[in-house]
């Protein structure tokens, strides 16, 4: 495990380059900061300053080395590195509310942008006019899109929203790709087709993620539930109501295991197995040592006077993150699945974890 601090400002989102030598973060501002790994420290090498509103999404394409960003200013930019300078290209999103999240497709020939205008913009590059165009998905969406995840086939797109629903759409763009083959999620996939919808939980869907094969879809909601839909079993839905605080981010680390993290300030490993069973394997990583055992009598009474408790520290101080975890990201893949993953949080920290408890 490695822990790094990027100051006191919350980190709303982050993204890695292909070899994990650079990281792009947004410290709760309109600026994207890019850091280079130098020995055991991070050195800031670029500021991306084109946005004039809070950055809400960053994604870094590993093959093309393009960065896409979106913000509450209703804009998205694709950034290209030329002569050691990142140059932005404006994307025609055509939305009237804040952009909330952005994700490159696996083939990197398009990306999706969620927004507060009850719309998902599927953006692709038109070579003739040398600009990024967008097509809109609006079917059944009744509120803000909070998170997006692409299926491995580069066509299906999962979306979680604040109308308590998780949905799977077809994002097939005939102008740039071949007709897709059938999947367990559906056979006919014209652009914008709604293939799956589920929303019987009582909270915003904060994060969604497909399994490596694309067979299963996991999502986390604000009512502290963890849910998995299995397309190979007729899209059966399995739900676990947890005792933890709400999760804000979820990622798959193998075909049957995923990690979720959020307001509990630490990540948890879950497993999904047939028939219809989600279990909590345990908490990832260790905890900081408590100093209660070394408390002096003077400190004991001082705490009683100031805090009405004998505790020498805030309960959250025993976790690695000192505040809510805002986003998880895969850091290193192995033969049997994800070996390491990263997290950023409201405390301004970056933590790189081993994926096993």
């Amino acid at each position: 495990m490695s822990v790094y601090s990027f100051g006191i400002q919350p980190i709303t989102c982050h993204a890695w380059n292909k070899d994990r030598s650079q990281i792009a973060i947004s410290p709760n501002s309109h600026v994207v900061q890019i850091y280079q790994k130098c020995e055991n420290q991070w050195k800031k090498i670029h500021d991306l300053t084109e946005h004039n509103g809070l950055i809400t999404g960053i994604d870094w394409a590993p093959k093309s080395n393009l960065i896409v960003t979106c913000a509450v200013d209703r804009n998205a930019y694709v950034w290209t590195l030329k002569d050691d300078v990142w140059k932005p290209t404006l994307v025609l999103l055509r939305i009237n509310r804040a952009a909330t999240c952005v994700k490159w497709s696996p083939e990197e020939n398009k990306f999706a942008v969620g927004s507060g205008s009850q719309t998902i913009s599927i953006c692709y590059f038109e070579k003739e006019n040398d600009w990024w165009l967008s097509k809109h998905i609006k079917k059944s969406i009744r509120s803000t899109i909070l998170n997006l995840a692409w299926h491995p086939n580069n066509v299906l797109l999962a979306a979680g929203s604040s109308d308590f629903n998780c949905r799977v759409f077809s994002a097939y763009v005939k102008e740039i790709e071949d007709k897709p083959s059938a999947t367990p999620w559906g056979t006919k996939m014209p652009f914008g087709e709604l293939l799956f919808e589920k929303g019987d939980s009582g909270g915003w869907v904060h994060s969604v993620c497909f399994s490596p094969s694309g067979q299963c879809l996991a999502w986390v909601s604000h009512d502290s539930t963890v849910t998995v839909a299995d397309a190979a079993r007729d899209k059966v839905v399995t739900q676990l109501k947890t005792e933890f605080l709400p999760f804000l981010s979820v990622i798959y680390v193998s075909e049957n295991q995923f990690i979720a993290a959020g307001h509990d300030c630490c990540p948890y490993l879950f497993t999904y197995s047939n028939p219809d069973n989600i279990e909590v394997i345990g908490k990832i990583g260790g905890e900081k040592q408590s100093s209660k055992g070394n408390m002096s009598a003077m400190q004991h009474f001082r705490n009683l006077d100031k805090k009405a408790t004998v505790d020498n520290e805030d309960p959250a101080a025993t976790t690695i993150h000192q505040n809510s975890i805002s986003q998880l990201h895969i850091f290193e893949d192995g033969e049997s699945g994800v070996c390491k993953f990263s997290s950023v949080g409201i405390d301004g920290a970056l933590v790189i974890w081993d994926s096993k408890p």
Side-chain angles (χ1 to χ4, degrees), residues 16-22 37 42 62 329-332:
W16 297 95
N17 70 341
K18 183 177 181 179
D19 63 4
R20 291 352 189 206
S21 62
Q22 295 181 11
K37 186 71 177 294
W42 293 94
H329 211 296
I330 294 173
F331 183 80
E332 182 182 323

Side-chain angles (χ1 to χ4, degrees), residues 19 52 74 86 96 119 162 227 274 327:
D19 63 4
N52 57 24
R74 307 190 305 277
W86 286 99
N96 58 11
T119 301
S162 57
T227 311
N274 297 332
Q327 189 186 39

Side-chain angles (χ1 to χ4, degrees), residues 223-241:
D223 60 352
S224 298
T225 59
V226 176
T227 311
V228 173
D230 193 338
R233 301 178 58 231
D234 199 26
K235 303 176 186 176
V236 64
V237 173
T238 306
Q239 191 173 82
L240 174 67
K241 177 73 173 180

Side-chain angles (χ1 to χ4, degrees), residues 56 70-71 93 95 97-103 112-121 144-148:
T56 53
C70 68
L93 290 182
I95 56 176
R97 295 290 186 273
T100 54
C101 50
V102 62
K103 285 287 173 62
V113 180
S115 71
S117 58
Q118 304 177 27
T119 301
I120 302 172
S121 300
T144 302
I145 298 296
L146 300 177
N147 195 253
L148 298 166

Side-chain angles (χ1 to χ4, degrees), residues 300-314:
H300 177 94
F301 289 108
R302 184 180 291 119
N303 287 343
L304 279 175
D305 181 45
K306 290 184 176 181
K307 307 177 184 177
T309 176
V310 297
D311 288 350
N312 194 37
E313 55 192 352
D314 178 54

Side-chain angles (χ1 to χ4, degrees), residues 100-157:
T100 54
C101 50
V102 62
K103 285 287 173 62
W104 282 106
S105 68
E107 297 296 326
E108 301 177 14
N109 59 347
K110 56 187 175 180
F111 58 86
V113 180
S115 71
S117 58
Q118 304 177 27
T119 301
I120 302 172
S121 300
I122 306 300
C123 308
Y124 62 98
F125 190 71
E126 189 182 70
K127 293 182 179 179
E128 292 181 3
N129 295 310
D130 193 32
W131 60 7
W132 289 87
L133 292 178
S134 65
K135 302 177 74 172
H136 286 174
I137 296 175
K138 296 183 177 181
K139 184 179 292 186
S140 301
I141 301 172
R142 296 183 293 275
S143 192
T144 302
I145 298 296
L146 300 177
N147 195 253
L148 298 166
W150 285 94
H151 189 277
N153 73 351
N154 202 65
V155 173
L156 303 184
L157 180 71

Side-chain angles (χ1 to χ4, degrees), residues 53-74:
L54 177 70
I55 303 292
T56 53
I58 308 170
D59 204 13
W60 200 329
K63 302 173 187 175
S64 60
N65 199 39
L66 297 176
I67 296 176
V68 61
T69 60
C70 68
V72 300
D73 60 6
R74 307 190 305 277

Side-chain angles (χ1 to χ4, degrees), residues 151-153 156 168 182-187 195-196 209-211 213-219 228-238 252 255 272 274 276:
H151 189 277
N153 73 351
L156 303 184
V168 175
T183 73
W185 293 98
T187 54
L195 303 174
F196 173 81
C209 186
F210 278 107
S211 64
S213 71
Q215 172 182 313
C216 293
L217 174 68
W219 68 90
V228 173
D230 193 338
R233 301 178 58 231
D234 199 26
K235 303 176 186 176
V236 64
V237 173
T238 306
Y252 265 93
E255 188 58 35
Y272 168 75
N274 297 332
D276 303 345

